[in-house]
Structure formats: C-alpha cells, structure tokens
Amino acid sequence: MRIRYWVRAVRWYLRELTGEADYDRHCERHRRHHPLAPVPTRREYQVLRTRHQEARTHSRCC
C-alpha cells in the first residue's frame, strides 16, 4: 500500500513539474466553459500559452 502511495506522489510531482497537469486542467476548464467548441490539442495549447507569456512581459524579471 505504501508503494502505491509513493508511486502516485512521484507521478503527481513529475506531472506538475513538467507542466503536463496544466494542459489537463486547461482541457477541463475549456470543456466546462465552452462545451461546443473543440478542445485544443496539446501543441495548440503550448503555442497559446507561449504567446500569452510573451505578451505579458511586465510580469517577468528578464
């Protein structure tokens, strides 16, 4: 039982660290707020996320 706990904890940590969980949360939110619109692919999500980050340069230090 403890092994399962640690495997889940490590999996959760790695998904949060790599940003994979962000895409899943985005898909859930997108389906909830825009049920008829198609969900963007992972690649489309990354492009939108990068554009959003670049547009908000005042929030970055460099």
Side-chain angles (χ1 to χ4, degrees), residues 2-40:
R2 285 189 70 80
I3 292 173
R4 244 188 246 164
Y5 170 79
W6 285 106
V7 168
R8 273 189 288 181
V10 169
R11 182 177 181 270
W12 174 85
Y13 180 75
L14 290 175
R15 285 176 47 82
E16 291 293 329
L17 186 67
T18 61
E20 191 168 335
D22 291 338
Y23 175 70
D24 294 338
R25 282 191 290 271
H26 174 75
C27 289
E28 290 173 18
R29 190 171 42 250
H30 185 80
R31 286 184 187 107
R32 217 178 11 225
H33 294 288
H34 309 285
L36 300 177
V39 177

Side-chain angles (χ1 to χ4, degrees), residues 23-62:
Y23 175 70
D24 294 338
R25 282 191 290 271
H26 174 75
C27 289
E28 290 173 18
R29 190 171 42 250
H30 185 80
R31 286 184 187 107
R32 217 178 11 225
H33 294 288
H34 309 285
L36 300 177
V39 177
T41 63
R42 187 175 301 275
R43 184 154 180 91
E44 291 169 341
Y45 169 73
Q46 289 296 332
V47 169
L48 291 171
R49 185 173 174 220
T50 302
R51 285 183 186 164
H52 178 72
Q53 287 176 339
E54 289 175 355
R56 296 184 51 139
T57 56
H58 66 278
S59 64
R60 294 184 357 206
C61 67
C62 305

